[in-house]
Amino acid sequence: MGHPVLRRPARPLRPEELTSDRLHRLVADMVDTLHDYGGIGLAAPQVGESVRLAMIEIPGGPTRYGELDHMPLTVCVNPEIEIVDETAAGYWEGCLSIPGLRGFVERPQHIRVAYLDLKGERCEIEARGFLATVFQHEFDHLDGRLFVDRIQDPTRLAFEEEFARYVLSSEDGESVDGDS
Ligand code: ZN
């Protein structure tokens, strides 16, 4: 956080770029980064590339974010979100670009996502609940937005250590998320 690339709207990728070595290297690099840091999502601006590409991968079962539904590695190019239902719910989000912090963010919990995969095929996913939050968090990065911008109650921003000590213990079962 503080690097200008995180605050810049990223540019769409052109179809011919999807087959380029440069893009394949970027994707491989992002997958490594995601796995190295044990994240569940990553957007290209987070590794310094201002292009509209983000990936999400959620391991099934118990994780440090609680019990989550599995989502295989999904790479989204030029994604767009349509909100199906405005009803919002909040999670304590984290971000690889904002290490050490968690913040409570409310977002719509039923969305439809349209994107191109790496072969240039148009794909659509409907996401609810936590997964809807993860997509919105990642795609915000493509518009230069960070989760801290969306915190409505500034008292609900915490260091990881205090979050684990005071928040997790008191808000039993309330989920935690983000790409960190
Ligand atoms: Zn993030």
Side-chain angles (χ1 to χ4, degrees):
M1 182 163 60
H3 194 296
V5 75
L6 285 175
R7 291 312 201 168
R8 198 181 296 151
R11 72 165 175 86
L13 282 161
R14 295 183 302 274
E16 64 269 23
E17 287 180 279
L18 298 183
T19 51
S20 69
D21 287 348
R22 186 183 153 91
L23 194 82
H24 289 157
R25 274 197 303 275
L26 171 64
V27 169
D29 179 40
M30 286 175 65
V31 171
D32 284 348
T33 303
L34 188 65
H35 291 163
D36 284 352
Y37 289 92
I40 55 176
L42 191 67
Q46 295 185 272
V47 296
E49 290 288 338
S50 194
V51 294
R52 301 188 80 80
L53 184 148
M55 55 179 60
I56 288 172
E57 183 182 42
I58 302 178
T63 70
R64 55 188 281 223
Y65 308 107
E67 190 83 26
L68 303 178
D69 289 335
H70 172 68
M71 165 103 187
L73 180 70
T74 303
V75 179
C76 304
V77 173
N78 301 344
E80 277 166 39
I81 282 183
E82 180 198 338
I83 294 167
V84 178
D85 181 351
E86 291 277 355
T87 309
Y91 297 91
W92 284 86
E93 299 186 20
C95 182
L96 294 180
S97 301
I98 312 175
L101 287 177
R102 296 274 183 178
F104 189 79
V105 179
E106 294 185 57
R107 301 183 191 264
Q109 295 294 287
H110 187 186
I111 61 169
R112 205 170 288 131
V113 177
Y115 62 95
L116 298 180
D117 66 13
L118 288 172
K119 292 180 198 137
E121 312 264 355
R122 195 185 144 84
C123 305
E124 240 185 63
I125 291 180
E126 203 162 317
R128 293 168 197 262
F130 174 75
L131 187 59
T133 279
V134 178
F135 274 112
Q136 289 169 85
H137 175 117
E138 295 312 326
F139 297 167
D140 263 358
H141 279 298
L142 308 181
D143 293 325
R145 268 195 297 270
L146 300 173
F147 81 79
V148 288
D149 307 347
R150 296 201 179 270
I151 293 174
Q152 284 173 326
D153 175 359
T155 69
R156 300 186 92 186
L157 177 65
F159 290 115
E160 291 270 4
E161 202 176 316
E162 277 67 26
F163 167 76
R165 193 161 161 194
Y166 298 109
V167 182
L168 264 190
S169 56
S170 64
E171 296 185 9
D172 190 34
E174 189 167 40
S175 212
V176 194
D177 148 48
D179 52 30
S180 83

